[in-house]
């Protein structure tokens, strides 16, 4: 259905995670100690869920996670279980119950890890694979995203190396790839340009289909728009939080400057900014719920009013949102053509965009959903640019 609508579907796979104790897969690779996973990773990404579970066990009749009115005010303590004692939280952790084992991403890991997932993605009809990451999980002096001080024993991930090693494996299957750059860790703008040869070229296609960043601070958001959020499509992920208080420094540092703004309203604000910059914002987790934080089961349902607000925002932003995905050209006869940058090579075909009324174009520009043309007499003409 997605393909019929002209879209692309992505298989989401965490590139640094495996099932616990899958020794055949992880043999020869660095694996994070189980006690580190459960103490420093499970609590980091799933702390809110652990706290609520403990709260439910203690006071099951007083717990109310979702309210019929999504805008109803609840304290942060009620939403996130911040009233749970830290000792109770630590006591609930058991290395044997960890959700995953964690490995270090690099080129060698890609050669072992990617082929099976590529085969699965093809069988299921996906357009490509979206790799998730933990960012720089081992170096506190360089740490990005949520603070995850695993100490000096962890090797430094080589995310560009992973992507470059994965690329030819996926290309042979006709698949694309994207990756979650946590606070930009591992980001290299050349991933949008390079092929596997010695020179930068479009011939082999870009290593990633588009940039995708998960941002955990206002500073990282600013860096994102400076380095990434312009001149091409992108996805920004910056969780809007659990309440308008945004008061938990560990889980909502990205919302520190947004006290008093409801999560849904904050999500719309960020979505609009992303659209204005030529990209989009990751808010919806399925057709009826939106993300509050990294733990997807915490997602809450939209009201009908909120659905209408999203439709209005997306439809208003749609006309000019994705023109940066195309290369435009003017033929010797003055007609205008384009093709998608993602698939562009010396052999791909151009699609006719405009050749109306015998107007011969010398140059062309796109802005705000309109195609502007300078003709041979020096006049500037415009028409609505179809997508």
């Amino acid at each position: 259905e997605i393909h019929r609508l002209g879209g692309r579907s992505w298989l989401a796979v965490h590139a640094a995670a495996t099932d616990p104790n899958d020794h055949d897969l992880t043999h020869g690779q660095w694996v994070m100690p189980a006690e580190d996973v459960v103490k420093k990773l499970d609590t980091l990404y799933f702390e809110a869920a652990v706290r609520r579970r403990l709260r439910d066990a203690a006071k099951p009749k007083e717990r109310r996670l979702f309210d019929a009115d999504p805008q109803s005010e609840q304290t942060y303590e009620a939403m996130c279980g911040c009233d749970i004692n830290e000792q109770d939280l630590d006591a609930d952790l058991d290395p044997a119950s960890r959700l995953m084992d964690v490995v270090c991403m690099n080129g060698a890991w890609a050669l072992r890890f990617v082929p099976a997932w590529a085969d699965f993605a093809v069988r299921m009809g996906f357009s490509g694979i979206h790799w998730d990451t933990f960012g720089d999980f081992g170096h506190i002096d360089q740490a990005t995203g949520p603070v995850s001080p695993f100490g000096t024993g962890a090797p430094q991930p080589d995310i560009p190396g992973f992507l470059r090693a994965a690329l030819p494996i996926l290309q042979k299957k006709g698949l694309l790839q994207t990756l979650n750059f946590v606070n930009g860790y591992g980001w290299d703008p050349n991933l949008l340009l390079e092929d596997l040869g010695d020179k930068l070229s479009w011939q082999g296609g870009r290593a990633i289909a588009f940039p995708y960043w998960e941002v955990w601070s206002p500073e990282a958001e600013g860096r994102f728009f400076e380095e990434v959020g312009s001149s091409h499509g992108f996805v920004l992920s910056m969780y809007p939080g659990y309440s308008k208080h945004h008061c938990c420094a560990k889980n909502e540092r990205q919302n520190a400057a947004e006290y008093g703004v409801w999560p849904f309203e904050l999500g719309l604000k960020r979505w609009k900014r992303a659209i204005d910059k030529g990209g989009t914002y990751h808010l919806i987790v399925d057709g009826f719920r939106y993300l509050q934080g990294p733990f997807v089961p915490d997602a809450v349902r939209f009201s009908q009013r909120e659905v209408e607000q999203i439709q209005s925002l997306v439809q208003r932003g749609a006309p000019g949102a994705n023109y940066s995905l195309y290369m435009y050209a003017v033929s010797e006869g003055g007609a205008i053509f384009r093709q998608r940058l993602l698939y562009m090579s010396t052999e791909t075909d151009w699609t006719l965009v405009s050749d109306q009324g015998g107007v011969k174009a010398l140059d062309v520009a796109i802005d705000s959903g309109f195609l502007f043309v300078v003709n041979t007499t020096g006049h500037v003409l415009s028409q609505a640019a179809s997508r």
Side-chain angles (χ1 to χ4, degrees):
E1 181 178 355
I2 293 174
H3 290 286
R4 288 201 302 270
L5 294 173
R8 292 178 292 186
S9 57
W10 300 91
L11 172 65
V13 179
H14 206 297
T18 71
D19 290 334
N21 301 314
D22 189 345
H23 301 301
D24 290 339
L25 182 60
T26 61
H27 177 71
Q29 302 291 320
W30 177 86
V31 179
M32 185 179 292
E35 57 271 20
D36 278 353
V37 174
V38 71
K39 289 181 181 179
K40 302 172 182 178
L41 193 148
D42 281 7
T43 57
L44 182 69
Y45 288 90
F46 310 110
E47 177 184 5
V50 174
R51 286 181 180 274
R52 279 197 298 274
R53 180 156 51 83
L54 290 171
R55 181 182 172 89
D56 287 345
K59 301 177 181 179
K61 293 184 179 180
E62 297 181 19
R63 183 74 187 103
R64 184 180 63 177
L65 177 57
F66 301 124
D67 195 278
D69 178 5
Q71 293 294 336
S72 64
E73 182 170 353
Q74 301 180 53
T75 66
Y76 193 91
E77 287 77 9
M79 288 295 293
C80 283
C82 288
D83 54 344
I84 296 296
N85 187 288
E86 290 294 333
Q87 285 119 347
D88 294 336
L89 183 64
D90 292 340
D92 189 62
L93 302 175
D94 178 10
S97 68
R98 68 192 185 281
L99 297 178
M100 66 192 78
D101 278 335
V102 177
V103 300
C104 182
M105 291 177 60
N106 52 37
W109 175 243
L111 295 177
R112 178 178 299 183
F113 184 72
V114 171
W117 284 113
D119 290 340
F120 179 78
V122 168
R123 291 199 303 270
M124 299 302 294
F126 287 99
S127 307
I129 298 178
H130 172 73
W131 305 111
D132 207 352
T133 76
F134 291 123
D136 181 5
F137 52 60
H139 307 85
I140 191 168
D141 59 330
Q142 305 174 37
T144 60
V147 177
S148 21
F150 295 113
T152 57
Q156 188 166 349
D158 179 9
I159 290 177
F162 176 93
L163 290 169
R164 289 163 180 146
L167 181 61
I169 299 172
L170 297 173
Q171 284 181 326
K172 289 179 180 178
K173 302 288 184 178
L175 296 171
L176 303 169
Q177 67 177 343
T178 65
L179 183 136
N180 180 12
F181 295 90
V182 178
N183 259 21
Y185 180 77
W187 171 249
D188 181 351
N190 287 329
L191 294 170
L192 291 173
L193 300 172
E194 64 187 6
D195 64 9
L196 296 180
D198 296 330
K199 298 181 179 179
L200 295 181
S201 167
W202 290 103
Q203 184 65 35
R206 57 175 70 179
I208 55 173
F210 51 82
Y212 183 112
W213 279 34
E214 180 180 297
V215 172
W216 285 88
S217 72
E219 295 76 17
E221 181 186 19
R223 180 190 164 207
F224 172 79
F225 283 110
E226 287 178 4
E227 297 189 19
V228 181
S230 61
S231 74
H232 48 70
F234 63 84
V235 176
L236 169 66
S237 177
M238 192 175 183
Y239 303 116
Y242 300 91
S243 81
K244 69 177 184 180
H245 304 296
H246 306 302
C247 58
C248 183
K250 182 179 291 186
N251 285 329
E252 287 204 44
R253 294 194 317 281
Q254 75 278 14
N255 302 323
E258 302 291 348
Y259 180 84
V261 182
W262 282 102
F264 177 76
E265 300 300 328
L266 179 54
L268 282 187
K269 175 182 175 182
R270 288 172 176 161
W271 202 341
K272 181 180 184 304
R273 186 182 184 191
I275 288 176
D276 290 343
K277 295 289 187 177
T280 191
Y281 172 73
H282 185 197
L283 181 67
I284 301 174
V285 70
D286 58 29
F288 301 99
R289 298 186 300 156
Y290 68 91
L291 288 167
Q292 299 182 104
F295 191 58
V296 173
D298 280 345
V300 295
R301 291 184 66 87
F302 291 111
S303 68
Q304 182 58 40
R305 175 176 172 273
E306 289 168 340
V307 171
E308 293 171 355
Q309 286 180 275
I310 290 175
Q311 290 173 335
S312 176
L313 173 66
V314 174
Q315 290 169 1
R316 183 170 61 249
N322 290 319
Y323 292 115
S324 58
L325 299 179
Y326 295 92
M327 172 69 76
Y328 287 80
V330 179
S331 71
E332 292 182 356
I336 301 170
F337 295 81
R338 75 178 184 186
Q339 62 173 293
R340 291 180 67 89
L341 285 173
L342 179 61
Y343 306 109
M344 185 176 177
S345 74
T346 56
E347 298 178 355
T348 51
D349 294 327
W350 291 86
T351 300
L352 180 66
V353 174
S354 179
D355 187 19
Q356 296 182 359
V359 175
K360 293 186 177 181
L362 292 177
D363 203 356
V364 62
I366 295 286
D367 184 61
S368 301
F370 287 89
L371 183 70
F372 294 89
V373 175
V374 178
N375 66 11
T376 54
T377 62
H379 291 86
V380 178
L381 309 175
S382 69
Q383 69 177 68
S386 65
R387 299 185 72 188

